[in-house]
Amino acid sequence: MFDKNATSRTPARPAAQRRGMERRKAILDAAEALLAEQGYEAATLKATGERAGIPIASMYHYFADRYQVDAELLRRHLGELDRLIGLALAEPRAQTLREAVDVMIDLLLDYMRGHRSCTELWFAGRQHATLDELVRAFDEAQAERLWRHLVEQRLVSADTPLLALLLAFEAGTRLFDSAFRRSPAGDDATIDEARRMVTAYLETYGSEATG
């Protein structure tokens, strides 16, 4: 009635799953290290496998191509950024629109400077549609979140359209791209211009409370 070998086979599945998770993590960690140390072009699937100590043939068991690796890493970064932005907006410190813009820009800038792998995926990697879609979706979600926050804090007028924040985020992303092309750490002068341009644009929707 019973399979005598069933008991002996059962532990193998969790062990295999654990090994699989460990290998996936090793691959992602290797790719992140290559991105941080050598840049986007260096983090090929072959180079990542060599760094992780996994044969290229085995790599395809976990990821079909490098873009799946890139996408998973970028999702990890975007998830952490989403968490940090949520914390920043939950305890608002900004008293003016300029200060609110600075909070957002400083948070993104500090994170990118501290995580070059994110910067490489965000900018260089966006030539691939999947990564571009991830960044666009993130920008749109954060633009809506900031729009609600600015209206609630009366830093912009109540009738400010969501489109204004969507465009501000799009412009900001392009200016960040320019800043990180000018310098691996993000060119400060370009970032300052981004602050000026985004703030000046949003100030056209300023509420009476902001003057």
Side-chain angles (χ1 to χ4, degrees), residues 8-199:
S8 63
R9 285 203 306 265
T10 301
R13 184 173 297 173
Q17 290 176 340
R18 185 168 56 254
R19 283 196 300 272
M21 292 175 62
E22 290 171 352
R23 279 200 157 192
R24 285 179 65 88
K25 183 179 184 302
I27 292 168
L28 292 170
D29 289 348
E32 186 158 21
L34 283 170
L35 286 163
E37 294 167 8
Q38 301 178 40
Y40 186 78
E41 296 302 325
T44 63
L45 201 63
K46 182 176 183 295
T48 297
E50 291 173 351
R51 181 70 172 255
I54 299 173
I56 187 65
S58 297
M59 292 282 286
Y60 292 110
H61 179 71
Y62 303 100
F63 295 97
D65 53 41
R66 75 159 294 172
Y67 300 112
Q68 286 192 356
V69 178
D70 292 346
E72 191 156 338
L73 278 176
L74 185 56
R75 288 189 189 97
R76 181 192 292 178
H77 285 301
L78 297 181
E80 179 61 10
L81 277 168
D82 180 76
R83 185 186 71 83
L84 293 172
I85 291 170
L87 290 174
L89 297 185
E91 297 183 5
R93 304 185 307 275
Q95 300 298 312
T96 66
L97 181 57
R98 172 60 191 261
E99 288 176 356
V101 171
D102 282 343
V103 166
M104 185 65 71
I105 288 180
D106 287 341
L107 191 155
L108 291 169
L109 182 61
D110 289 346
Y111 189 87
M112 288 184 176
R113 282 176 169 171
H115 300 82
R116 186 186 169 191
S117 60
C118 178
T119 307
E120 291 292 321
L121 293 170
W122 191 298
F123 299 120
R126 288 184 68 185
Q127 59 189 296
H128 192 266
T130 299
L131 301 188
D132 186 58
E133 288 168 8
L134 285 172
V135 172
R136 287 179 182 275
F138 175 83
D139 278 354
E140 289 175 5
Q142 302 310 321
E144 183 170 357
R145 177 188 252 178
L146 183 58
W147 169 63
R148 295 183 187 282
H149 175 78
L150 294 178
V151 170
E152 288 171 1
Q153 297 298 312
R154 299 181 64 197
L155 297 178
V156 295
S157 62
D159 61 354
T160 300
L162 172 58
L163 178 61
L165 273 295
L166 292 171
L167 292 176
F169 260 79
E170 185 171 348
T173 293
R174 291 181 180 276
L175 289 167
F176 260 59
D177 184 10
S178 178
F180 278 91
R181 278 190 284 106
R182 291 173 182 272
S183 167
D187 176 62
D188 284 326
T190 305
I191 296 295
D192 285 344
E193 292 306 306
R195 297 178 195 276
R196 289 165 56 88
M197 292 174 68
V198 171
T199 303

